Amino acid sequence: MPTVDQLAERLWPQFNNLKVNDSMNPEMARRQMVQQQVRAWDVFDERVLEALGSVARERFVPAGFAEVAYADTEIPLGYGQVMLRPIIEGRLLQALELAENDEVLEIGTGSGYLCACLSRLCASVTSIDLHEDFVTRARDTLDDAGVANATLECMDASDRLPEGKFDAIAVTGSAPRIDERFTAALKPGGRLFMVVGESPQMDACLVIRGDEGLQKHVLFETDIPALENFARKPLFSF
């Protein structure tokens, strides 16, 4: 399996035209990302825009990718996983409509960037990932960034989930269908964001546990890498 450095070397030519201008500091690049990418893609929630504008994304990208930290592109992390495009992250955060007292589960820690954004919008985040090295690096970066309300665990979500129920669940990889265990982990009124389907055409979905059961809303079409180990699991669809 190629390392992140090998991926960077292989993919760097196609990222060259996406680099942050040498004269542009990270704060300016962050503002441009929020205003020209995220807000332009129908993200108008001011709390979400503020969270994205206050987290130093360049601290979370792998070595060699700082210059494209704010570009409108996925960034490879290894194991076939990526940092999602900022516009996808913005739509995810907005769809979950997080309140300050919400308890959130993130499935797929990755770099820890989205966890940092979530942590600014809710009371606590529990984030799990299959890969110990992802968890270790993300925990160190989050600690350095002063994030105190996030708990990270190495856990295979296709096998089990953390105990308890959550106000919101953010799934950062795709699966063929909605996993019934995810919706079962929602509190009444809880929201689940998940991308479902097969590449190259998938649906970003919001599932709400309402008084009359589960309500599913298709938000937009996209295509993101799959959650590992999920393709061969029997999943629930509704």
Side-chain angles (χ1 to χ4, degrees):
M1 180 175 295
T3 65
V4 171
D5 288 341
Q6 290 170 330
L7 285 167
E9 183 177 355
R10 183 186 306 169
L11 295 172
W12 193 251
Q14 63 183 283
F15 285 159
N16 252 346
N17 64 337
L18 296 171
K19 287 183 179 181
V20 173
N21 188 291
D22 291 339
S23 63
M24 188 182 302
N25 61 38
E27 290 77 15
M28 185 180 299
R30 199 174 306 131
R31 287 196 297 271
Q32 282 200 355
M33 178 195 77
V34 170
Q35 297 300 324
Q36 298 180 13
Q37 296 177 43
V38 181
R39 184 186 286 273
W41 212 47
D42 298 332
V43 178
F44 303 118
D45 187 314
E46 290 299 332
R47 293 182 66 237
V48 170
L49 296 173
E50 182 180 356
L52 291 167
S54 62
V55 177
R57 188 177 169 91
E58 72 274 9
R59 300 175 66 173
F60 290 86
V61 300
F65 284 89
E67 292 186 357
V68 293
Y70 296 100
D72 181 21
T73 185
E74 294 177 346
I75 297 177
L77 298 173
Y79 305 106
Q81 302 304 301
V82 300
M83 287 181 71
L84 298 174
R85 295 166 63 194
I87 59 174
I88 302 295
E89 293 164 327
R91 290 292 293 271
L92 180 160
L93 293 169
Q94 178 170 262
L96 290 178
E97 296 186 348
L98 298 174
E100 293 181 354
N101 61 342
D102 279 350
E103 297 176 322
V104 176
L105 171 63
E106 179 189 34
I107 299 174
T109 307
S111 71
Y113 171 74
L114 186 62
C115 182
C117 295
L118 289 165
S119 73
R120 292 176 177 266
L121 297 168
C122 65
S124 66
V125 184
T126 300
S127 182
I128 64 173
D129 201 286
L130 176 64
H131 301 291
E132 183 67 49
D133 53 339
F134 280 6
V135 172
T136 299
R137 287 198 299 268
R139 184 182 289 122
D140 290 343
T141 308
L142 289 165
D143 286 346
D144 289 343
V147 175
N149 61 338
T151 301
L152 275 58
E153 299 183 45
C154 185
M155 184 179 296
D156 183 352
S158 72
D159 181 56
R160 63 191 181 96
L161 296 176
E163 294 184 2
K165 295 187 181 293
F166 299 89
D167 298 290
I169 300 176
V171 184
T172 65
S174 65
R177 294 167 296 281
I178 301 290
D179 190 320
E180 184 179 31
R181 296 170 309 122
F182 294 175
T183 57
L186 291 173
K187 297 178 183 179
R191 291 84 62 203
L192 164 69
F193 178 96
M194 187 173 182
V195 175
V196 297
E198 302 284 353
S199 184
Q201 185 172 325
M202 304 175 181
D203 291 328
C205 299
L206 177 69
V207 180
I208 302 172
R209 177 171 289 283
D211 294 336
E212 300 180 359
L214 299 173
Q215 302 171 355
K216 176 182 172 182
H217 306 275
V218 176
L219 304 176
F220 56 90
E221 292 184 356
T222 188
D223 186 6
I224 66 173
L227 288 170
E228 294 180 69
N229 298 339
F230 270 72
R232 57 179 180 270
K233 291 281 185 179
L235 300 176
F236 170 76
S237 180
F238 67 94

